[in-house]
Structure formats: structure tokens, C-alpha cells
Amino acid sequence: MMLSGLAFPALNFKLSSDSDKTGFFKENPKNLPLREFDVVVAGGGTAGVVAAIAAARQGAKTALIEAKGYTGGTVVEGGTALHSFFNLWKAFPGVEKRQVVKGIAQEIIDRLLLVGGTTGHGDVTGKIDYDCVCTAIDTELYKLVVLEMLAEADVSIFTNTLVAGAVKKGRIIEGVITQSRMGREFFKGKCFIDCTAYGDLSAYAGAEYVELNDHPVCNSMGLGNVNIEKLYSYLVKNNALGDLAYGIRDGKQGQIIRMGSESGYTIRGKLPQEFVDGVVKLGSGLITTTVHDNYLMFIKVNYKLPVSPTNRDEVAKAELIIRQNQFKTLELFRKHLPGCENAFIARTSPSLNIRRGRTITCDYDITLADVIEAKHFDDDIMVYGFHDSAPKYQINNGGTYGVPFKALLVKGIENLLAAGMLITSDFQAHMSTRNTVCCMGQGQAAGTAAALCSIKNISTRDLPYKDLRNALLKTNVYLES
Ligand SMILES: Cc1cc2nc3c(=O)[nH]c(=O)nc-3n(C[C@H](O)[C@H](O)[C@H](O)COP(=O)(O)OP(=O)(O)OC[C@H]3O[C@@H](n4cnc5c(N)ncnc54)[C@H](O)[C@@H]3O)c2cc1C
């Protein structure tokens, strides 16, 4: 009979519909092309770029796997300024102004300065005078400069490649599975660093984590065709100017490079009511950085998700809402802010940003007390001196606190380090450790340590601290309390 089961390859279809009933599809095992490295860095963002450069410079064969087509991460998508290389010297009388983060983070700024890609370190003044320094960046030059630095350091760069899984034996990661247009591949390594911000690699490797969902998601945009001086005069005239910083803009020193109005609530009565109500409702406002004439970066639009930002379906809804709200914000700016009459959206982040996704459990969890009491540890890998909520929270006497190596050791795994916004569960401690420059310092330490471990063939917990400290000091990391 024509319609026999043998005449049609119906069996396979039947099987897949059986598996559909369970809600799962069983994927067939497959041989994946294998690549071998000493150090594998997952995520080429703020911390990951620095980690990969540091590892490669120590002589480790290093792979950097980045989901997007460029490196830089939230630095180029969200903040657009690095915050803050210095201690809180203004908070306490008589405290000396000190640069407490140097190393590769400062090298990136030096390289950017050569090509007109940064404002340099601009002191923040104005009504909101707590903040020390704004180092705004040209986001496109940052992408180029860090890719060049990675290539010069001989890092194998795998952009447009997603870390999609991990293979573990006991407490050791053997390799990560990646997905790109070349299909799936297996990256074998001796030591791994999770710089994915969301902790994807740690989660795939079965590490403990929490999803606190305690920040809104956000997309930050750049507005072109803005008269910065006209906007500044308007804010001053209305007594609504918040923070202000001067630095290099389009090659000229002494230009406005950061400007903000006071926050939504305190500008009530100073700026038009419709503008104030509108930006408060849209989770937006006027805090901006710039490296170019006629251009404002960092106009944020926030949106609070009901669930953690690892929920793809809720994020998909938020991507649309935020983009609609960006254009509503633009309309408010054009209508109400002199200098912005003819503004247009010149750039947005390719996808929404967040201040934290998963927080990975490490051997040590930095607390707010550690930060504000200026605590140092016997395994400090960097020091930092800034808190996002200053002047409410300040590091004692304008000093520094230490980030210990044990805060980067992912609990229960012997060859995995974490660096960036994915460490530190305490909300207020995280308001310091997640700052860009702190993430970069963690990246330099994680990359250096991973390289030393892979070269010596030892676990991250067996690395003698003195070896790590010496290597960090030799590479210009500042470790004074
Ligand atoms: C809107 C906003 C404004 C901010 N403003 C400031 C500010 O003004 N000053 C300041 O100091 N800090 C600011 N922050 C905080 C700071 O920018 C971040 O905490 C910091 O940049 C995070 O660095 P990171 O390396 O942990 O993550 P990221 O820089 O986000 O890097 C993570 C990288 O991993 C990649 N990735 C993720 N998953 C995978 C995967 N599975 N496979 C491969 N690649 C993957 C991503 O594409 C990304 O490139 C802001 C944050 C936001 C969201």
C-alpha cells in the first residue's frame, strides 16, 4: 500500500512529537572542533578586555570569547565614562588627591588620549561636589583601541561568539562550549575567567549564585546636534545645575565634559513641570558626559523588570518599551531644553544594560563595612577609593579599601575566577566594586593570576600570594592602602 509506514520516513517525526509532549527536545551528541588554550576569558567587556591583556602579557596562550562584534561591554554601552580612578579626596579635609587605580586601566586612557578618544580625568564640581573624577570616552574609539591592544598582546580574539556551556570534571572546568556562525566548538583551557557580567560561565559550570534583581534595566543613548553651552546657561539661569566637569572636548582643554541637572525631584519648580513629570515617569533625566561638541552621551532610560534580567522573554518586552521611551525622552528634551531643539538620537546601546544580573558566590563576599571602614586584606589584588553613593557612603578618611584575591575565587571550582560586576552581593558594597575602574582592576588581577596558575599548572587556590603581588606590582598596579 502506498501509505505504508515504510514508504514515508514518519518514524522520526513521531519521535520528535513524543519529545514535544515532555516540553524537551533531546539533542544528539556531536563531535565539536577543539581549541586549546592556557587561559580562556569569557566576556570581552570592561573587566574581560583587561583580564585577557594581562593574561597574555604574562605569557599565557589566551582566548577571549565575546558575544558581540566588538569589545568594551558596558563601558561603551552604558556608562560612557570611567568612574573613578581616584580616592574621595574632597570628602575629608586635608586628604591628598591620589590616583589609586593605574595599570592597564590607565594605559587604555593613555592610548585614548593619543587619538582624541577621552576627556582625560576631569574633576567634578558644581552643586553635586562629592564625585571625584569623570573620565569620559569616545565609545567608538574605545572599541577600536582596546581591540588593537588585545591584538598587540597576542590575545586570540573570538568576537561574535557566545559561551553557551561548560564541561566540568569534579571541581575542574575542562572547557567551554561556544556557539558562533562556525557552529559549536569546544575551548579547552587550564584556567578560566568569568567576565560575562551576568555570570554565564559560572552558572553553566554549576557555581552558586543569586539573582537579586535590585536595579532597573536601562538603555543609554547619545544625542547629536545639541548646543552644550546653551543648555548649560539654561540650567545655571534656572538654578538647576547638578554636577559639572571640565576636560578635553574635541581636542580643546577646559570644555564642559560632564553636566547634569539636579535629580528629577529636586528640579521640580526649576524646570518645566511637563519635563520633570515626563522624565521621572520614563526613568530618565539629564546627566550627561561628552567628548565632542554638539553631542551628549549617557541619557539613560530606565525600566524596572518584574523578574531577573536573565529572563529572555521579559527582556524582549523591555527592549521594545525602552526604545519607545527613548523617543519620548527625546521629544521632552527637544520641547523643553534650550540647546536640544534639533537633537536626534545618534547612538543607543545594541541591547539593554543592567547594573547586575547574577551575583556569583566567591570564597569571600566584600561587605559595606569592608568598603567604608577602608579594610585591607592579606591578599589584596587592588585598592579602590570611590563609592557611587558618596557623600552618604565614604571610605574612611579618604583612604582605600582592598579587593582580596579570595573575592575573585568562584566557590567550589578550582580553576575559575570571576571579575567585574558579577561579584559582591551586598547592594551598597556593590555600588563601589561594580564601578568601571574597579572592574578593570579586578580584570588585571584575574588575568595575571590565571596566567600564573596555568603556567605553573596549579589550582587558583594554590597560587602563592607573593607571586601574584609581585607580578601585579611589576605591571604598575597600585597596592598602597
Ligand atoms: C546604564 C549604566 C550606567 C553606568 N554608569 C557608570 C558610570 O558612569 N561609571 C561607572 O564607573 N560605572 C557605571 N556603570 C557600571 C559599570 O559600567 C559596570 O558595572 C561595568 O562596566 C561592568 O563591567 P563588566 O566587565 O562586569 O561587564 P561588561 O562590561 O558588561 O562586560 C561583559 C561582557 O561579556 C559579554 N558576554 C556576556 N555574556 C556572554 C556570553 N555568554 N558569552 C560571551 N560573551 C558574553 C558581553 O557582551 C560584554 O561584552 C553603569 C552601568 C550601567 C548599566
PDB file of all heavy atoms in Angstrom, residues 11-25:
ATOM      1  N   LEU A  11       8.716   7.828  11.078  1.00  0.00           N
ATOM      2  CA  LEU A  11       9.134   7.442  12.419  1.00  0.00           C
ATOM      3  C   LEU A  11       9.813   8.586  13.175  1.00  0.00           C
ATOM      4  O   LEU A  11       9.496   8.868  14.326  1.00  0.00           O
ATOM      5  CB  LEU A  11      10.071   6.235  12.312  1.00  0.00           C
ATOM      6  CG  LEU A  11      10.282   5.422  13.571  1.00  0.00           C
ATOM      7  CD1 LEU A  11       8.941   4.928  14.092  1.00  0.00           C
ATOM      8  CD2 LEU A  11      11.202   4.259  13.285  1.00  0.00           C
ATOM      9  N   ASN A  12      10.717   9.304  12.470  1.00  0.00           N
ATOM     10  CA  ASN A  12      11.441  10.401  13.129  1.00  0.00           C
ATOM     11  C   ASN A  12      10.502  11.479  13.631  1.00  0.00           C
ATOM     12  O   ASN A  12      10.647  11.986  14.724  1.00  0.00           O
ATOM     13  CB  ASN A  12      12.427  11.047  12.160  1.00  0.00           C
ATOM     14  CG  ASN A  12      13.623  10.165  11.956  1.00  0.00           C
ATOM     15  OD1 ASN A  12      13.876   9.319  12.805  1.00  0.00           O
ATOM     16  ND2 ASN A  12      14.314  10.327  10.844  1.00  0.00           N
ATOM     17  N   PHE A  13       9.512  11.799  12.774  1.00  0.00           N
ATOM     18  CA  PHE A  13       8.578  12.851  13.162  1.00  0.00           C
ATOM     19  C   PHE A  13       7.796  12.445  14.400  1.00  0.00           C
ATOM     20  O   PHE A  13       7.571  13.222  15.310  1.00  0.00           O
ATOM     21  CB  PHE A  13       7.622  13.160  12.004  1.00  0.00           C
ATOM     22  CG  PHE A  13       8.320  13.841  10.871  1.00  0.00           C
ATOM     23  CD1 PHE A  13       8.584  13.155   9.700  1.00  0.00           C
ATOM     24  CD2 PHE A  13       8.746  15.155  10.999  1.00  0.00           C
ATOM     25  CE1 PHE A  13       9.260  13.785   8.655  1.00  0.00           C
ATOM     26  CE2 PHE A  13       9.412  15.777   9.971  1.00  0.00           C
ATOM     27  CZ  PHE A  13       9.674  15.091   8.794  1.00  0.00           C
ATOM     28  N   LYS A  14       7.454  11.163  14.436  1.00  0.00           N
ATOM     29  CA  LYS A  14       6.689  10.680  15.576  1.00  0.00           C
ATOM     30  C   LYS A  14       7.513  10.837  16.860  1.00  0.00           C
ATOM     31  O   LYS A  14       7.034  11.328  17.866  1.00  0.00           O
ATOM     32  CB  LYS A  14       6.304   9.217  15.361  1.00  0.00           C
ATOM     33  CG  LYS A  14       5.239   8.727  16.289  1.00  0.00           C
ATOM     34  CD  LYS A  14       4.528   7.522  15.699  1.00  0.00           C
ATOM     35  CE  LYS A  14       3.404   7.075  16.588  1.00  0.00           C
ATOM     36  NZ  LYS A  14       3.858   6.504  17.812  1.00  0.00           N
ATOM     37  N   LEU A  15       8.773  10.484  16.726  1.00  0.00           N
ATOM     38  CA  LEU A  15       9.631  10.578  17.913  1.00  0.00           C
ATOM     39  C   LEU A  15       9.717  12.019  18.418  1.00  0.00           C
ATOM     40  O   LEU A  15       9.603  12.290  19.602  1.00  0.00           O
ATOM     41  CB  LEU A  15      11.047  10.090  17.578  1.00  0.00           C
ATOM     42  CG  LEU A  15      11.272   8.599  17.716  1.00  0.00           C
ATOM     43  CD1 LEU A  15      12.696   8.266  17.340  1.00  0.00           C
ATOM     44  CD2 LEU A  15      10.979   8.155  19.139  1.00  0.00           C
ATOM     45  N   SER A  16       9.899  12.961  17.463  1.00  0.00           N
ATOM     46  CA  SER A  16      10.058  14.334  17.938  1.00  0.00           C
ATOM     47  C   SER A  16       8.761  14.852  18.541  1.00  0.00           C
ATOM     48  O   SER A  16       8.773  15.628  19.484  1.00  0.00           O
ATOM     49  CB  SER A  16      10.584  15.246  16.835  1.00  0.00           C
ATOM     50  OG  SER A  16       9.589  15.410  15.880  1.00  0.00           O
ATOM     51  N   SER A  17       7.605  14.392  18.005  1.00  0.00           N
ATOM     52  CA  SER A  17       6.391  14.885  18.638  1.00  0.00           C
ATOM     53  C   SER A  17       6.215  14.246  20.016  1.00  0.00           C
ATOM     54  O   SER A  17       5.662  14.851  20.919  1.00  0.00           O
ATOM     55  CB  SER A  17       5.167  14.674  17.746  1.00  0.00           C
ATOM     56  OG  SER A  17       4.785  13.335  17.782  1.00  0.00           O
ATOM     57  N   ASP A  18       6.740  13.034  20.192  1.00  0.00           N
ATOM     58  CA  ASP A  18       6.728  12.451  21.544  1.00  0.00           C
ATOM     59  C   ASP A  18       7.535  13.321  22.506  1.00  0.00           C
ATOM     60  O   ASP A  18       7.121  13.618  23.615  1.00  0.00           O
ATOM     61  CB  ASP A  18       7.381  11.061  21.516  1.00  0.00           C
ATOM     62  CG  ASP A  18       6.368  10.006  21.136  1.00  0.00           C
ATOM     63  OD1 ASP A  18       5.188  10.378  21.012  1.00  0.00           O
ATOM     64  OD2 ASP A  18       6.779   8.844  20.949  1.00  0.00           O
ATOM     65  N   SER A  19       8.724  13.735  22.023  1.00  0.00           N
ATOM     66  CA  SER A  19       9.554  14.529  22.924  1.00  0.00           C
ATOM     67  C   SER A  19       8.939  15.906  23.167  1.00  0.00           C
ATOM     68  O   SER A  19       9.111  16.493  24.221  1.00  0.00           O
ATOM     69  CB  SER A  19      10.984  14.654  22.395  1.00  0.00           C
ATOM     70  OG  SER A  19      10.962  15.311  21.154  1.00  0.00           O
ATOM     71  N   ASP A  20       8.169  16.414  22.176  1.00  0.00           N
ATOM     72  CA  ASP A  20       7.495  17.698  22.391  1.00  0.00           C
ATOM     73  C   ASP A  20       6.566  17.643  23.597  1.00  0.00           C
ATOM     74  O   ASP A  20       6.428  18.613  24.330  1.00  0.00           O
ATOM     75  CB  ASP A  20       6.655  18.085  21.163  1.00  0.00           C
ATOM     76  CG  ASP A  20       7.547  18.587  20.046  1.00  0.00           C
ATOM     77  OD1 ASP A  20       8.737  18.860  20.333  1.00  0.00           O
ATOM     78  OD2 ASP A  20       7.064  18.681  18.927  1.00  0.00           O
ATOM     79  N   LYS A  21       5.907  16.486  23.787  1.00  0.00           N
ATOM     80  CA  LYS A  21       4.955  16.358  24.902  1.00  0.00           C
ATOM     81  C   LYS A  21       5.643  16.572  26.247  1.00  0.00           C
ATOM     82  O   LYS A  21       5.046  17.014  27.196  1.00  0.00           O
ATOM     83  CB  LYS A  21       4.306  14.964  24.862  1.00  0.00           C
ATOM     84  CG  LYS A  21       3.136  14.884  23.904  1.00  0.00           C
ATOM     85  CD  LYS A  21       2.493  13.512  23.987  1.00  0.00           C
ATOM     86  CE  LYS A  21       1.941  13.154  22.607  1.00  0.00           C
ATOM     87  NZ  LYS A  21       1.917  11.720  22.371  1.00  0.00           N
ATOM     88  N   THR A  22       6.916  16.227  26.316  1.00  0.00           N
ATOM     89  CA  THR A  22       7.638  16.393  27.583  1.00  0.00           C
ATOM     90  C   THR A  22       8.097  17.835  27.762  1.00  0.00           C
ATOM     91  O   THR A  22       8.563  18.221  28.822  1.00  0.00           O
ATOM     92  CB  THR A  22       8.901  15.502  27.616  1.00  0.00           C
ATOM     93  OG1 THR A  22       9.799  15.993  26.627  1.00  0.00           O
ATOM     94  CG2 THR A  22       8.578  14.044  27.364  1.00  0.00           C
ATOM     95  N   GLY A  23       7.996  18.619  26.689  1.00  0.00           N
ATOM     96  CA  GLY A  23       8.490  20.002  26.757  1.00  0.00           C
ATOM     97  C   GLY A  23       9.974  20.096  26.478  1.00  0.00           C
ATOM     98  O   GLY A  23      10.573  21.161  26.616  1.00  0.00           O
ATOM     99  N   PHE A  24      10.584  18.995  26.074  1.00  0.00           N
ATOM    100  CA  PHE A  24      12.030  18.995  25.799  1.00  0.00           C
ATOM    101  C   PHE A  24      12.318  18.362  24.452  1.00  0.00           C
ATOM    102  O   PHE A  24      11.559  17.505  23.980  1.00  0.00           O
ATOM    103  CB  PHE A  24      12.794  18.220  26.875  1.00  0.00           C
ATOM    104  CG  PHE A  24      12.803  18.913  28.196  1.00  0.00           C
ATOM    105  CD1 PHE A  24      11.859  18.615  29.158  1.00  0.00           C
ATOM    106  CD2 PHE A  24      13.752  19.899  28.460  1.00  0.00           C
ATOM    107  CE1 PHE A  24      11.853  19.286  30.374  1.00  0.00           C
ATOM    108  CE2 PHE A  24      13.751  20.564  29.665  1.00  0.00           C
ATOM    109  CZ  PHE A  24      12.803  20.255  30.637  1.00  0.00           C
ATOM    110  N   PHE A  25      13.419  18.779  23.863  1.00  0.00           N
ATOM    111  CA  PHE A  25      13.911  18.136  22.655  1.00  0.00           C
ATOM    112  C   PHE A  25      15.270  17.545  22.983  1.00  0.00           C
ATOM    113  O   PHE A  25      16.134  18.232  23.540  1.00  0.00           O
ATOM    114  CB  PHE A  25      14.049  19.171  21.530  1.00  0.00           C
ATOM    115  CG  PHE A  25      14.683  18.611  20.288  1.00  0.00           C
ATOM    116  CD1 PHE A  25      13.945  17.819  19.425  1.00  0.00           C
ATOM    117  CD2 PHE A  25      16.014  18.859  19.998  1.00  0.00           C
ATOM    118  CE1 PHE A  25      14.530  17.278  18.293  1.00  0.00           C
ATOM    119  CE2 PHE A  25      16.614  18.322  18.862  1.00  0.00           C
ATOM    120  CZ  PHE A  25      15.864  17.533  18.007  1.00  0.00           C
TER     121      PHE A  25
END
